[in-house]
Structure formats: structure tokens, C-alpha cells
Amino acid sequence: IHLQSQHSPPGAKRCCEEPACRQRGRFRQGQSLESTCKELENLVQEQKKTFVPVSIESQTTPAYEHDLNDKVKLETISLSINERQKLSYLKDFVYVLGTRFYSELREAQRGQNLLLPPTSIYGSLVSFYLGASNQTATDLQGLLGFVAPSGDSNCTSRVDGHNILSTLRTIESLLVKNRDEELLYSKTLYLFFAPGVPLFESFLRDLIPSAEALYVRAVDFTNPGEAAKQINAFVEAKSEGRSKQLLTDLDPATSLLFAADIHLAVSVKKASRLKKPHEFWVDSNTKVLVPGMSVTGTFKYKTDTSKTFAVTEAPISKNALLVLVQPIDGNSLDKIEAELPLQSSAWLQDLSPRQIKLTLPELTIEGSSDLQELLTDMKLPALLGKEANLSKISNANLTVRKIINKALFKLNSDGADQPEDPAMHKEDSVFLEVTLNKPFLLAIFKEKSKAMLFLGRVTNPLSRV
Ligand SMILES: *[C@@H]1O[C@H](CO)[C@@H](O)[C@H](O)[C@H]1NC(C)=O
Ligand SMILES: *[C@@H]1O[C@H](CO)[C@@H](O)[C@H](O)[C@H]1NC(C)=O
Ligand SMILES: *[C@@H]1O[C@H](CO)[C@@H](O)[C@H](O)[C@H]1NC(C)=O
Ligand SMILES: *[C@@H]1O[C@H](CO)[C@@H](O)[C@H](O)[C@H]1NC(C)=O
């Protein structure tokens, strides 16, 4: 069941819970190990401090949310300095988990648009890892891609989840920093608890690096209809209207609901909006007319060796790459999806620069996934189920029914409506025309680290989901 990495990733601090394991010298990084163990011990002491979240109905912002959101800002700045090497192994773990979830969803949501944020989903699992103890922590660690280096089940080692969250934040924060006109990225975290549940301050502190804003409120889940309404209204207000209908249903037994809300909007520079509607073939018999755009430039491109698909890589900002994968020669998207590369690096391999005229639909697509459903589909329903030990979140028994990652991706031309350069027409022959007029896959990668932020498919640009 586990995604296994045989090598011990460089820079991953581990803490061995049993002194005996340490004596047996199974961990090479002695120095960092000791300090982390001490840090973790200190945390155990601090963990005693708890607080009870205020009601979602409260009109005033509780002091702890002020504190959290101030710290979030500070931390975003102070991080991202020397975390780079760690990205290289983490990005593979993120990718492997992301594609696994993608395969589950593509079956379940046949024919629909899909959008998954692998980095954020991985971060949600790390958040629960930080709240977990005993077997739950061990299982989550395995799912995240880390295995005990010794393979001895009596010798439990713990990866420093806080460290991983900070590193994930580096992937996302470089996008945030680039807060200029062409790209906007934001991530907000919501935790809703049943009324009266005391939670550990230390747990929330651990989550600080994982989003730009963090809200923690109490909700009476025993009236699920009303609770869903309250939560949807709360999220809609905090997202300034961008995120509607987070929930359609709720289980009244819920005592913790976790939601990450991610938004990426890109205005492609130098792109022009098509004067005529763009024809898009949803299937071989159905054509829809959609707003489209086109951009001409030097992009990286390849067709795979068996000529089933073509890949176009277009930079959409200083920090982000948009990768578009379209079936060619009558192949189906299904076939490509079934054979997603095992490693994220394969997406960007063997691409070479070409002069390209890229024509594609403007997009607003949305995706919402529930980790609990995905874990059930992966035959791991118990992992965060009834028996899960989440004793680092709260001493109360928590029932976690939904762990939501909601993502919204918008792609537009920058609106400049540039007249097409007549010089380009003369030389049309040198431009390869790449036109996305049938269902295709898309992915957003961080430019430098090549970490995958989004993975999705567009089957119908007219529909959000
Ligand atoms: C959860 O794990 C903690 C720490 O190992 C342990 O003290 C506690 O008894 C466990 N709780 C349950 C319900 O198993
Ligand atoms: C949890 O951990 C504690 C101490 O590490 C151990 O005594 C206990 O048996 C564990 N409980 C479970 C349910 O594994
Ligand atoms: C783990 O501990 C148990 C009980 O102490 C022992 O019987 C077993 O052999 C140990 N397993 C390993 C792999 O060392
Ligand atoms: C949590 O559940 C366990 C086992 O079902 C029970 O023994 C314990 O009293 C419960 N704790 C709380 C705080 O409700």
C-alpha cells in the first residue's frame, strides 16, 4: 500500500522514538537527529496548551486568528531561503501521490473536467501527519513516501512534518511572491471543529506555514444542512466571493472538517483573444463554441515516440510553466491518462524549442476532491477513519469525514487585445500551429524546482467542472 522510497532523503530530519534505535546507529545524520528529537520533546510539553475555537457565527475575529494570520505573513517571508535541495525529492513524492489520486478521480468523474492540486493535497496529508500519533502517524508517513530506513517495524522513525510543510510552502510561496499582473495565487486553510472541542495550540502553530490565511471555527454539525450553509457562507465571504458551494452535504457525526481553498489566475502576456469563437470538440459528434486566445512565440514542444500525444510547454510567468498534453493521430485522452508518466520529470523531458502559434480556449475550471473518499477508493478507509489516532490535534475523539482540497484555475489572455503582427503572417510556414480543440491534459509546474502544482484535464471549456 505504501509509496516507498528506499533512499533516505537528504535533509529530512528524522527523530527516532526509541533510544535503542539510535544506539544501533541506524541514522546517519546524528547532529540534526538529536536536535530534532529535542525539539519534538519540547513540543510534547507545549502540547498541553489547548483552546476552544469560537463559533462560526461570531461576528468578531478571534484573537488567535489574528495571531495566526500575522504569523503566516511573517513566516512566508522568512522561509524560502535554504530549503531548495529538499524540493528535489519532495516533488517526486508529491507527484506520485498526485497521479495516484488523479487515476482514482478520472474514473469516478468520467467525461468531466478535472483539477487536482497535488502540492496542496500532499500538504493536507502532512497536516494530518502532524496531528497523528502511533500507527496513524506511521501509516501516513508511508503514504507520504517516507519509510523507516531500517525496515524494522519496532524501530519507528518520524519524519519532521513541520520541515516538510515549510518546504512545500517554498514551492507555493514563490508563486505568491510574484504578485504581479500576470499571475495570482492564493491558498486559504479552514478548520471547522464541533463546538467545545479543545485543540492543541501546537498543532495550529505547525500549520502556519501551509497557507496564506488560516481560519479555525466551531460549527454545530448535528444540524448538517444548517452547518453546510454556514460553512459555505463563511468560505464565500473569506474568499471574497470566489469560492462558492464548498460543501453540498455533511455528515452530522463530523467533528473536524478540513478544507484548503486554492486559486490560481493567469493572464497570458502577449496573448490575443480570438475575434471569432473557438471551436472545441467535446467528443467526435459534439462541438461547442468557446472564447479562445492565441499566442505566438518560442515554446518547448515534443511528440512522444509512438506519436500518441504532443506536449507543449509555455511559460506563463517568471515562476510557472503551463504544460499542455493533447492526443494526436486519433488517439484518445483516455489512453494518455492511463499511462501517465511515473516520474514528474518525464513530463518535461526531451522538449525542444519551436516557433509555435498556440491556440487554446480561455479557461475557468474548478475541482474539489475529498481525501477521505480518495483514501477509501485506494482501500485505505481506516487511515483517517474512526480508529485514527489524532491525539496531537485534540484529546477529544475526532471524527474526520471530509478533507477537502478545492482548486480554481483561470487562464485568460491579458486583455490587451493586441492586433496580430502582420509580419508573422508572412512567415506562417515556420510556425507550428498547435490548436487545442479537443479534450486535453494540463499541468502547472514551478519553473525552477519543476514541482507540480496542478494537474487536470479539460473536456469541456464551457463547464467549470
Ligand atoms: C494515541 O497515541 C498516543 C501517543 O502514542 C497514546 O498515548 C494514546 O493512548 C493513543 N490513543 C489511542 C486512542 O490509541
Ligand atoms: C501508542 O503508543 C504508546 C506509546 O508509544 C503505546 O504504549 C501504545 O500501545 C500505542 N497504542 C496503540 C493503539 O498502538
Ligand atoms: C520486535 O519486538 C518484538 C517484541 O519485543 C520481538 O519479538 C520481535 O522480534 C521484534 N521484531 C524485530 C524485527 O526486531
Ligand atoms: C475516545 O474513545 C475511546 C474509545 O472509544 C474512549 O475510551 C474514550 O473515553 C474516548 N475519549 C473521549 C475524550 O471521549
Side-chain angles (χ1 to χ4, degrees):
I1 18 168
H2 295 328
L3 309 162
Q4 302 211 333
S5 123
Q6 292 313 321
H7 52 93
S8 181
K13 290 190 187 167
R14 290 168 181 272
C15 175
C16 188
E17 289 185 339
E18 281 186 40
C21 303
R22 243 180 288 169
Q23 281 154 21
R24 275 179 254 155
R26 287 205 156 103
F27 296 90
R28 273 174 287 129
Q29 292 149 318
Q31 270 321 83
S32 58
L33 169 71
E34 295 301 330
S35 65
T36 319
C37 283
K38 255 204 199 95
E39 280 162 29
L40 293 185
E41 271 162 34
N42 291 342
L43 272 180
V44 171
Q45 290 309 308
E46 280 181 49
Q47 256 178 37
K48 305 263 145 56
K49 276 197 217 155
T50 63
F51 74 100
V52 175
V54 304
S55 163
I56 194 168
E57 290 171 292
S58 160
Q59 292 304 312
T60 53
T61 303
Y64 62 79
E65 269 180 14
H66 276 305
D67 290 353
L68 286 173
N69 289 320
D70 284 349
K71 284 207 190 89
V72 168
K73 290 194 190 87
L74 283 179
E75 196 120 352
T76 321
I77 298 160
S78 65
L79 280 175
S80 85
I81 298 165
N82 52 22
E83 310 268 318
R84 290 223 173 159
Q85 328 101 300
K86 271 182 270 165
L87 291 177
S88 66
Y89 69 86
L90 212 49
K91 73 160 202 280
D92 291 331
F93 292 171
V94 165
Y95 177 76
V96 171
L97 200 68
T99 46
R100 251 178 105 172
F101 285 164
Y102 186 89
S103 325
E104 296 295 336
L105 280 182
R106 82 177 181 97
E107 293 293 333
Q109 303 180 13
R110 221 156 236 293
Q112 290 174 287
N113 294 339
L114 268 187
L115 185 66
L116 268 187
T119 306
S120 177
I121 289 179
Y122 192 88
S124 307
L125 279 173
V126 177
S127 305
F128 276 89
Y129 171 70
L130 283 163
S133 305
N134 277 34
Q135 197 55 43
T136 306
T138 307
D139 290 348
L140 280 172
Q141 183 172 303
L143 187 64
L144 288 168
F146 298 93
V147 284
S150 59
D152 175 352
S153 52
N154 289 354
C155 181
T156 22
S157 70
R158 288 278 176 262
V159 170
D160 182 346
H162 192 271
N163 207 325
I164 303 178
L165 270 193
S166 306
T167 310
L168 292 175
R169 188 63 189 153
T170 336
I171 296 174
E172 294 175 310
S173 68
L174 284 182
L175 275 175
V176 174
K177 257 207 243 157
N178 189 21
R179 204 191 280 276
D180 48 28
E181 62 301 332
E182 80 237 36
L183 186 142
L184 190 124
Y185 180 82
S186 73
K187 176 169 170 186
T188 309
L189 216 55
Y190 300 92
L191 275 78
F192 298 108
F193 288 88
V197 171
L199 54 141
F200 293 115
E201 282 182 12
S202 56
F203 173 67
L204 280 191
R205 245 198 324 274
D206 282 346
L207 296 194
I208 287 174
S210 58
E212 282 164 284
L214 175 54
Y215 298 99
V216 185
R217 296 298 175 100
V219 177
D220 181 5
F221 291 103
T222 57
N223 182 347
E226 184 57 25
K229 237 190 256 165
Q230 286 176 336
I231 291 173
N232 287 345
F234 187 80
V235 171
E236 186 171 342
K238 295 296 178 199
S239 68
E240 292 165 348
R242 224 172 31 228
S243 231
K244 297 185 171 77
Q245 287 299 94
L246 179 78
L247 298 168
T248 48
D249 63 321
L250 265 179
D251 184 327
T254 305
S255 56
L256 165 57
L257 181 120
F258 180 105
D261 188 25
I262 304 108
H263 175 221
L264 175 64
V266 179
S267 295
V268 182
K269 274 202 174 154
K270 303 213 176 93
S272 52
R273 173 168 286 168
L274 299 181
K275 302 253 165 8
K276 281 190 262 168
H278 180 61
E279 291 185 353
F280 192 92
W281 293 89
V282 174
D283 57 47
S284 50
N285 301 315
T286 321
K287 183 175 74 174
V288 293
L289 294 174
V290 302
M293 61 182 176
S294 114
V295 55
T296 309
T298 306
F299 305 126
K300 290 188 173 173
Y301 180 85
K302 77 168 172 197
T303 53
D304 71 316
T305 46
S306 52
K307 297 257 185 292
T308 41
F309 60 87
V311 181
T312 311
E313 176 200 297
I316 46 174
S317 83
K318 257 177 258 134
N319 288 316
L321 298 172
L322 170 66
V323 177
L324 302 158
V325 183
Q326 55 178 158
I328 51 174
D329 279 358
N331 281 287
S332 70
L333 187 66
D334 217 38
K335 181 167 179 200
I336 301 169
E337 284 182 306
E339 295 164 10
L340 286 181
L342 296 175
Q343 291 189 317
S344 67
S345 53
W347 280 73
L348 307 169
Q349 246 161 27
D350 306 323
L351 296 165
S352 40
R354 291 281 296 263
Q355 294 285 307
I356 285 175
K357 180 175 182 200
L358 178 63
T359 305
L360 73 167
E362 293 192 329
L363 297 173
T364 298
I365 59 169
E366 210 173 77
S368 180
S369 50
D370 174 9
L371 267 175
Q372 290 289 43
E373 267 175 34
L374 290 171
L375 292 175
T376 305
D377 290 343
M378 288 165 68
K379 315 266 183 303
L380 296 170
L383 188 51
L384 289 169
K386 232 181 147 99
E387 303 299 319
N389 188 331
L390 296 173
S391 69
K392 289 181 185 166
I393 302 180
S394 172
N395 276 330
N397 291 330
L398 292 174
T399 307
V400 188
R401 285 290 152 81
K402 280 186 197 295
I403 302 169
I404 296 172
N405 274 270
K406 184 168 192 212
L408 174 68
F409 175 57
K410 272 190 180 190
L411 186 74
N412 295 98
S413 60
D414 67 357
D417 229 5
Q418 299 163 356
E420 281 186 67
D421 187 348
M424 276 172 185
H425 279 295
K426 280 186 207 141
E427 294 172 77
D428 258 356
S429 54
V430 299
F431 283 90
L432 177 68
E433 297 247 1
V434 175
T435 302
L436 292 149
N437 57 3
K438 280 187 220 120
F440 61 94
L441 295 187
L442 65 81
I444 307 275
F445 287 90
K446 254 302 272 302
E447 211 269 322
K448 286 223 174 59
S449 64
K450 311 283 192 271
M452 187 184 259
L453 286 150
F454 287 94
L455 173 60
R457 87 176 156 210
V458 177
T459 54
N460 184 350
L462 282 186
S463 129
R464 277 169 94 91
V465 290

